[in-house]
Amino acid sequence: MKLTIVGATGGIGSQLLVQAVAAGHEVTAVVRNPARLPHDTPVRVVTADLSAAGPVDLRAAVDGSDAVLSGLGARSGAEAGVASRGTRALVRAMRATGVRRVVVVSAASVGTVPSPGRPNPPRHNPGDGFFMRHLAAPLAKAAFRRHYGDLALMEDVLRDSELDWTVSRPPRLLDRRWKRSYRTAYGQNVRAGMFIARADVAHHMLDVLDRPETFRRVIGIAY
Ligand SMILES: NC(=O)c1ccc[n+]([C@@H]2O[C@H](COP(=O)([O-])OP(=O)(O)OC[C@H]3O[C@@H](n4cnc5c(N)ncnc54)[C@H](OP(=O)(O)O)[C@@H]3O)[C@@H](O)[C@H]2O)c1
């Protein structure tokens, strides 16, 4: 397939890149700093700073692609806003070029974060048990309030689009080797699922690309 990978120098993004190339896909990488890409990676590179104040034109990055994958996210609270802004630019470019399929990363805690498009989310994620509901989730939401607000807005942008989107919502991310064995849950978090390797999130994002039952769905993923 022809794939566009946004944030291809990030934790999940670099895993998407390595796995997509290894699987024989033809990849366009959208990055703000091409020097961070591994040398000799056979990809086309489009440079874009997605936090730019004006609208960013990503049509050249997505035109002709079969699907778009995004590991875009703020590196710090101060950079929060880039996921929603970048995804808005992506949706605009996809609409203009007729590309329909997009898979992005959000976060497990986002299911209970209010946003303009979802002002009254459930108080607790149906997949969360006592520990997650009353301890881990409130702590994470306090610590990453700006990140989660950005990701909730990003999910709004996709929900409001007519695209074939899938949102992956992992819990705490690990830099470990992939297991290629994990649990997933539609529309909710995975019961008692606390961790997942970035490599396995990438594996799942690539795996759902051509599965229509995952279109317009949020999917929890964890071990
Ligand atoms: N940490 C966790 O445990 C956890 C848990 C659940 C969900 N998440 C969420 O999962 C997502 C992916 O996580 P990750 O660890 O793979 O993230 P990451 O390593 O921080 O990667 C973020 C990517 O976004 C890119 N980016 C940031 N600002 C940009 C800008 N202005 N223009 C263009 N690209 C920009 C970064 O580019 P550079 O490489 O140039 O910086 C990087 O490629 C994030 O949204 C994160 O909040 C994290």
Side-chain angles (χ1 to χ4, degrees):
M1 289 172 94
K2 287 189 177 175
L3 302 179
T4 298
I5 299 178
V6 182
T9 49
I12 290 173
S14 57
Q15 285 295 324
L16 285 168
L17 183 67
V18 169
Q19 293 179 34
V21 169
H25 298 300
E26 199 178 309
V27 174
T28 296
V30 181
V31 298
R32 61 176 160 178
N33 181 5
R36 284 176 52 86
L37 281 168
H39 295 299
D40 303 330
T41 312
V43 294
R44 185 170 79 98
V45 180
V46 172
T47 305
D49 183 346
L50 297 172
S51 65
V56 180
D57 186 351
L58 292 175
R59 280 175 301 180
V62 302
D63 197 12
S65 282
D66 298 304
V68 176
L69 298 128
S70 174
L72 182 65
R75 288 260 183 203
S76 66
E79 288 187 312
V82 71
S84 48
R85 203 173 299 143
T87 303
R88 218 171 267 124
L90 207 47
V91 168
R92 232 181 0 251
M94 291 178 68
R95 194 177 290 139
T97 53
V99 180
R100 293 196 53 83
R101 182 71 176 124
V102 57
V103 183
V104 307
V105 190
S106 179
S109 296
V110 171
T112 55
V113 172
S115 63
R118 217 163 144 262
N120 299 303
R123 258 188 84 213
H124 301 295
N125 191 296
D128 287 348
F130 184 86
F131 174 75
M132 281 303 285
R133 284 181 182 202
H134 299 290
L135 199 66
L139 284 175
K141 278 162 75 174
F144 299 109
R145 192 177 51 83
R146 298 179 69 180
H147 288 85
Y148 292 159
D150 183 19
L151 294 173
L153 261 184
M154 174 189 76
E155 292 191 8
D156 279 358
V157 169
L158 291 172
R159 235 178 265 114
D160 286 349
S161 78
E162 71 296 345
L163 300 178
D164 296 330
W165 53 265
T166 300
V167 169
S168 174
R169 283 200 194 140
R172 181 99 189 102
L173 296 171
L174 307 173
D175 279 321
R176 295 223 183 119
R177 277 180 65 79
W178 62 6
K179 292 188 183 180
R180 281 185 278 186
S181 151
Y182 41 76
R183 295 178 292 152
T184 57
Y186 283 108
Q188 63 177 62
N189 291 342
V190 168
R191 193 87 183 160
M194 306 281 286
F195 305 101
I196 183 86
R198 287 177 169 85
D200 277 324
V201 177
H203 179 267
H204 182 247
M205 290 172 74
L206 287 162
D207 187 52
V208 300
L209 275 182
D210 56 2
R211 285 168 42 194
E213 71 274 19
T214 67
F215 292 4
R216 305 191 68 81
R217 302 297 296 266
V218 166
I219 306 181
I221 176 169
Y223 294 130

